[in-house]
Amino acid sequence: MEIRKEFLPFTLPTIEDEEIDEVVDTLKNGWLTMGPKTKKFEDEFANYIGCKYAISVNSCTAALFLAGKVLGIKPKDEIILPSLTFASTANIVEHLGARPVFADVDSTICIDPEDIKRKITEKTKAIIPVHYAGHPAAMNEINEIAEDNSILVFEDAAHAVGSEYKGNKIGNGKNLACFSFYATKNMTTGEGGMITTNNEKFAEKLRILRLHGISRDAWKRYSSKGSWYYEVTAAGYKCNMTDINASLGLAQLRKVDSFNKKRAEIVEKYNSEFSKTDVLSTIKSRENTKPAYHLYPLIVDFTKLSLSHAEFIDKFKEYNIGVSLHFIPLHLQPYYKEKYNYKEGDLPKTERFYNSVVSLPLHPRLSDRDVKYIVDSVIEIIQKNKN
Ligand SMILES: *Cc1c(COP(=O)(O)O)cnc(C)c1O
């Protein structure tokens, strides 16, 4: 096959006139930081998810940290989470002074409820399921385990804007859910995050904690004092969203369903082509779920190839295609491995997945021609390097 001249990037944001117009409108009206557009974006996001409250912040990392704070995670608490996730899911546990306990994954590459049960101790305070690649984790089972053991749950929904679990959108459950609007995610605000909840008390605390611990409502409750009055009711943080970011979010949110539809069409195309070989597969969705397909993890049976995992990933350079890997397990990363004495073999399914996966490009700006080129390249690499 003919190698394309221009590089096909792993991911690209879809920024069109609507996004640009919305940002320019904000720049012209003069209110740059958190203001009317942020409020509007929160309202529209809550409406999209179907939940009561949405609290915007400047990243999903900040969202996860604040969720942990609001739930009262304290030093020495243990938090169970998958090892197969981005660094920040575990880093925020460290920032809270708590101890991350890594659990293995199930067949959808989300945290395995059976392994959660094995890892619960007297110190376990919370579970953080990650909806890997947009595939919803086994929330009914996880919530049941949590209830039985008086443990809290907050969800890393960075990949899951628009994912559905048993007919209900991720983020409209009983837990706090944290979304990411990083540039590579299903919708973007440049940088940004959102926490959704149906709990009014949590929503109120989150609004105070994200902006210096200042309670805007205190004066309303107590007195006839003017709007100049405010109270600092907690040593809060500075992680609010800005109206510039929210402008991008407003335009992206209107299109996220069409973005996700395009992603699903590409996934379908990849699946139908790759299932023609006995070397390639991908994650099968859990029953009664509708994933938002953030990533396309291509699973390769390397026993049938003469290439190693690293050599296979390297091959894509020759074809001018950007690929990635999600994720190098956290229990094998120097910081966590050394601090908590993890070793290879501790999480067998996680490690097996990591050693057999590569993430292919998956975003709405891929043309039919791009998708065909990626498929043809993968098939050619396989055919040229079969055992
Ligand atoms: C991207 C990502 C995050 C962090 O999101 P930010 O908005 O960049 O802080 C957290 N968890 C997972 C699984 C992610 O992919």
Side-chain angles (χ1 to χ4, degrees):
M1 58 180 282
E2 203 182 320
I3 305 291
R4 58 184 275 155
K5 297 255 173 350
E6 94 220 69
F7 183 64
L8 206 168
F10 174 66
T11 184
L12 277 175
T14 308
I15 302 296
E16 296 163 315
D17 285 347
E18 294 88 337
E19 282 79 2
I20 293 164
D21 291 347
E22 196 73 58
V23 171
V24 169
D25 179 64
T26 300
L27 295 175
K28 283 186 175 163
N29 82 25
W31 192 289
L32 300 184
T33 184
M34 190 167 76
K37 293 259 177 130
T38 308
K39 172 83 174 73
K40 189 163 182 238
F41 180 43
E42 288 178 338
D43 290 347
E44 291 187 11
F45 195 80
N47 189 40
Y48 174 77
I49 297 292
C51 66
K52 286 196 185 140
Y53 311 100
I55 299 90
S56 63
V57 284
N58 58 8
S59 72
C60 181
T61 306
L64 288 162
F65 176 79
L66 292 186
K69 269 278 163 200
V70 158
L71 293 177
I73 309 296
K74 291 191 179 60
K76 306 281 187 295
D77 287 341
E78 291 180 1
I79 313 296
I80 301 176
L81 72 158
S83 171
L84 209 97
T85 182
F86 184 59
S88 65
T89 323
N91 288 348
I92 65 102
V93 176
E94 292 283 314
H95 299 163
L96 291 161
R99 178 187 180 128
V101 175
F102 296 114
D104 217 341
V105 291
D106 63 13
S107 64
T108 67
I109 315 304
C110 291
I111 194 165
D112 179 5
E114 291 307 312
D115 205 37
I116 292 175
K117 284 188 207 159
R118 284 190 283 272
K119 286 184 170 147
I120 289 173
T121 72
E122 277 165 15
K123 291 185 185 158
T124 306
K125 184 72 186 275
I127 304 163
I128 314 177
V130 177
H131 304 295
Y132 179 83
H135 291 271
M139 291 316 301
N140 278 4
E141 290 84 346
I142 293 167
N143 285 331
E144 208 172 287
I145 294 168
E147 245 165 62
D148 290 349
N149 294 277
S150 308
I151 297 170
L152 304 161
V153 179
F154 57 115
E155 301 170 37
D156 181 335
H159 299 180
V161 177
S163 291
E164 290 178 20
Y165 179 81
K166 299 188 193 294
N168 202 16
K169 281 222 172 73
I170 293 293
N172 184 26
K174 49 194 297 194
N175 311 310
L176 295 168
C178 303
F179 294 90
S180 174
F181 308 127
Y182 184 68
T184 60
K185 299 288 164 40
N186 291 37
M187 58 171 278
T188 185
T189 60
E191 297 271 5
M194 191 78 83
I195 311 160
T196 61
T197 178
N198 286 308
N199 181 311
E200 190 183 356
K201 284 222 165 62
F202 285 159
E204 199 177 312
K205 278 190 186 164
L206 286 165
R207 284 194 200 105
I208 291 170
L209 278 184
R210 76 167 160 193
L211 196 62
H212 309 298
I214 290 175
S215 172
R216 301 242 159 237
D217 297 331
W219 65 273
K220 282 191 216 152
R221 268 187 253 136
Y222 297 118
S223 69
S224 56
K225 282 174 182 154
S227 58
W228 53 270
Y229 187 75
Y230 63 87
E231 286 183 352
V232 178
T233 59
Y237 302 88
K238 167 68 186 180
C239 49
N240 59 288
M241 184 172 271
T242 76
D243 267 21
I244 302 172
N245 300 99
S247 309
L248 283 169
L250 281 167
Q252 291 264 294
L253 184 60
R254 287 178 214 127
K255 297 193 254 183
V256 71
D257 281 340
S258 69
F259 290 165
N260 285 344
K261 187 164 169 276
K262 184 82 205 288
R263 287 171 177 272
E265 285 163 11
I266 298 167
V267 166
E268 220 167 276
K269 179 78 181 154
Y270 280 157
N271 285 349
S272 80
E273 295 297 330
F274 297 147
S275 64
K276 291 174 189 163
T277 81
D278 60 350
V279 181
L280 305 171
S281 59
T282 192
I283 301 172
K284 244 185 96 190
S285 305
R286 193 181 308 285
E287 249 179 67
N288 281 320
T289 66
K290 186 170 158 243
Y293 295 115
H294 172 56
L295 300 169
Y296 189 86
L298 181 70
I299 304 170
V300 184
D301 182 352
F302 284 104
T303 64
K304 298 195 170 93
L305 296 186
S306 56
L307 293 172
S308 71
H309 185 219
E311 286 165 343
F312 180 79
I313 295 172
D314 243 22
K315 279 275 167 208
F316 288 89
K317 281 190 200 143
E318 293 173 20
Y319 289 83
N320 240 344
I321 299 172
V323 295
S324 190
L325 197 149
H326 300 84
F327 296 93
I328 302 174
L330 292 177
H331 75 286
L332 302 179
Q333 293 287 6
Y335 178 82
Y336 291 103
K337 192 176 180 188
E338 284 157 28
K339 183 166 183 184
Y340 298 110
N341 280 315
Y342 281 105
K343 55 184 188 317
E344 264 171 57
D346 282 344
L347 299 171
K349 288 184 205 151
T350 297
E351 292 168 34
R352 205 179 313 136
F353 180 77
Y354 160 56
N355 286 314
S356 64
V357 78
V358 61
S359 301
L360 294 183
L362 178 66
H363 60 81
R365 285 178 65 184
L366 288 174
S367 66
D368 291 348
R369 200 176 128 257
D370 293 337
V371 173
K372 184 174 183 322
Y373 180 77
I374 294 163
V375 167
D376 291 347
S377 303
V378 170
I379 300 293
E380 186 169 282
I381 295 171
I382 296 298
Q383 278 167 351
K384 283 191 172 168
N385 296 282
K386 262 202 161 165
N387 268 339

